[in-house]
Amino acid sequence: VNPVESSPPDCTVVNEAHDIYYTEQYWNDLPKVLEYLCERYTGDSSRWWVVDFLDRYCSEPFERGLFLNCGNGWVEREFVDRRMVRHAVAFDYSQQLLEEAEKQRGDRAITYFQADCNRLELEPNQFDLIVNVAALHHVQYLDRLCRMLCHAIRDDGVLVNCDYIGPSRNQYSWRHWLRIRRANRVLPPSLRRPRLRRPHLATMLVTDPTEAIHSSLILDTVARYFDIVERHDAGGGIAYELLSRNPPLARASPQHRDPHIERVLALDLEATRAGKVPPLFSYFIARPRKRVLKDEARLAYWQRAEAESERVAERRRGVYSRPQYLRLLFQLGLGRIQYLWHRAKRRLAAILGRTP
Ligand SMILES: C[S@@+](CC[C@H](N)C(=O)[O-])C[C@H]1O[C@@H](n2cnc3c(N)ncnc32)[C@H](O)[C@@H]1O
């Protein structure tokens, strides 16, 4: 059960494509949203969480930091440039993203390696800092990885996180989705997201099966191996879907769009505070609880539970819960009916000699 001895999972679902990241417009590209996130994370609308972490935890730079699923490498570059860490070690599954990160590394003390976070093996007590930025929500074997991180971090080390913690695979409940749709009416039609649809599970499983795979389990799983010493949630339950992937809004002038964004953000804050929607994003800091690594009974239990949940998901085409499985079957059935309908229309048009 020791994390080093435990064998890595046989198969994991990993996306080989790299061009699905850093291409879409997200809500935090909008300056008003950035202010909102800063306010929620640090209590100051002009103070980003990285600066907050720098001021309060990095009086001396950390010696050796591990950066999970580093993508194009902006996080470790920023930590090194701000002298928050002396030497950064970072990995990602995508070779192309690693090449991009390596290209931009310059002469910074950063070491890159290619790895699958689900199969990662680390030596004990190597790091005094571990950084998770938008990484854990892509992890399939979350318990295994958190256990490995607890093993690899020094007793006095720090795990800092800024991640999506909302419903797994963005499958908002219907009640939640209706609230989002209602809030959408606050925006003038010209600034509404062109196709506001509840995230389509079947499509998500094809385009990126790792996306938010176990995001709703992140806090509980981290808390098995780490003490969460502080947690600052940003909302997002209402505003994230309305303000992301919204080209008309991104193109509009700040004078035109900002008052509308402010109204959506006010609704977001109100619904999050009232507990009507869950928080989607969180900045939280944790310290390792090493003694749990000696509790063999618990480790064995969590390991079995994870293996069992993966076995079930394998039988259910990669989804974990029964409601999600039923939704998937419905979507696949509907997709087949739509396909047959379009094919029939094409055939009929061909027989009648018309273009459909
Ligand atoms: C949302 S991006 C975040 C990247 C980076 N941390 C950032 O904040 O820009 C998620 C990253 O997880 C990586 N990833 C997905 N599955 C992975 C896996 N099994 N092992 C390692 N990296 C993985 C992707 O290649 C991608 O770079």
Side-chain angles (χ1 to χ4, degrees):
V1 184
N2 178 309
V4 178
E5 287 166 11
S6 79
S7 54
D10 295 335
C11 83
T12 63
V13 187
V14 178
N15 193 347
E16 306 272 342
H18 68 289
D19 46 8
I20 46 171
Y21 302 108
Y22 309 108
T23 49
E24 293 189 302
Q25 174 261 333
Y26 282 102
W27 73 326
N28 53 356
D29 295 326
L30 298 162
K32 275 282 156 210
V33 171
L34 213 53
E35 283 175 19
Y36 178 74
L37 290 175
C38 286
E39 177 77 41
R40 308 265 70 75
Y41 285 153
T42 71
D44 176 344
S45 61
S46 61
R47 191 176 160 84
W48 187 227
W49 69 267
V50 177
V51 177
D52 177 72
F53 184 71
L54 164 67
D55 287 350
R56 296 190 302 115
Y57 284 85
C58 309
S59 51
E60 278 294 305
F62 289 93
E63 278 306 319
R64 201 171 143 80
L66 176 69
F67 293 75
L68 310 175
N69 299 16
C70 61
N72 69 12
W74 71 267
V75 185
E76 58 277 12
R77 286 196 297 277
E78 181 158 354
F79 271 59
V80 170
D81 290 348
R82 290 181 182 273
R83 300 190 195 294
M84 298 161 83
V85 65
R86 282 194 225 282
H87 185 198
V89 177
F91 72 87
D92 198 276
Y93 186 80
S94 158
Q95 199 60 52
Q96 284 97 331
L97 286 173
L98 284 173
E99 279 165 21
E100 201 179 317
E102 183 64 52
K103 234 186 255 163
Q104 295 193 56
R105 181 175 72 88
D107 57 3
R108 297 175 184 90
I110 306 176
T111 309
Y112 286 108
F113 66 103
Q114 199 264 343
D116 175 355
C117 59
N118 298 303
R119 303 171 70 87
L120 190 67
E121 300 279 348
L122 298 169
E123 294 297 317
N125 306 319
Q126 288 187 60
F127 301 102
D128 54 353
L129 172 70
I130 296 180
V131 182
N132 157 37
V133 178
L136 287 185
H137 80 266
H138 284 270
V139 178
Q140 185 177 354
Y141 286 82
L142 195 54
D143 180 77
R144 182 185 184 279
L145 181 65
C146 289
R147 181 179 308 190
M148 189 62 77
L149 298 181
C150 178
H151 169 77
I153 198 169
R154 280 184 5 202
D155 291 10
D156 58 350
V158 176
L159 167 68
V160 59
N161 306 264
C162 189
D163 210 342
Y164 172 83
I165 55 156
S168 296
R169 291 216 168 102
N170 309 104
Q171 296 303 297
Y172 314 108
S173 70
W174 277 112
R175 189 178 281 200
H176 184 162
W177 187 247
L178 289 177
R179 284 187 197 284
I180 295 177
R181 287 185 65 93
R182 217 175 301 139
N184 194 30
R185 291 186 212 124
V186 162
L187 291 170
S190 63
L191 295 183
R192 287 183 196 159
R193 205 174 117 177
R195 282 164 61 86
L196 183 66
R197 298 266 159 82
R198 196 164 174 233
H200 192 259
L201 187 56
T203 307
M204 287 188 76
L205 287 168
V206 176
T207 49
D208 186 358
T210 71
E211 182 57 54
I213 183 165
H214 292 308
S215 49
S216 62
L217 304 181
I218 290 176
L219 284 164
D220 286 350
T221 312
V222 168
R224 290 175 183 171
Y225 302 99
F226 292 81
D227 290 317
I228 296 181
V229 290
E230 48 179 288
R231 172 177 164 190
H232 312 274
D233 293 346
I238 297 289
Y240 171 68
E241 287 290 340
L242 300 184
L243 307 181
S244 296
R245 293 173 285 264
N246 186 337
L249 189 79
R251 276 196 304 265
S253 70
Q255 294 92 311
H256 178 44
R257 73 185 178 201
D258 282 357
H260 302 291
I261 294 178
E262 277 173 3
R263 286 172 68 193
V264 171
L265 292 173
L267 288 178
D268 190 86
L269 185 58
E270 190 189 306
T272 311
R273 280 198 174 144
K276 290 178 183 157
V277 295
L280 299 195
F281 297 91
S282 189
Y283 158 45
F284 61 100
I285 295 171
R287 299 263 190 196
R289 192 163 356 97
K290 293 273 190 178
R291 63 180 184 281
V292 75
L293 297 180
K294 297 199 178 100
D295 189 340
E296 295 204 354
R298 269 175 158 195
L299 296 185
Y301 174 78
W302 288 329
Q303 192 169 318
R304 270 199 310 273
E306 182 150 88
E308 179 53 24
S309 132
E310 287 304 322
R311 260 194 299 278
V312 171
E314 230 180 285
R315 288 200 299 270
R316 290 183 181 156
R317 303 180 188 214
V319 297
Y320 293 86
S321 70
R322 193 182 292 263
Q324 279 198 13
Y325 185 49
L326 292 176
R327 192 173 304 159
L328 180 67
L329 291 181
F330 174 73
Q331 289 174 353
L332 292 175
L334 202 66
R336 179 96 192 126
I337 291 168
Q338 279 171 342
Y339 167 74
L340 291 174
W341 168 241
H342 286 300
R343 204 174 65 168
K345 267 200 324 194
R346 268 205 311 275
R347 286 213 174 143
L348 191 64
I351 292 166
L352 299 176
R354 291 195 211 127
T355 10

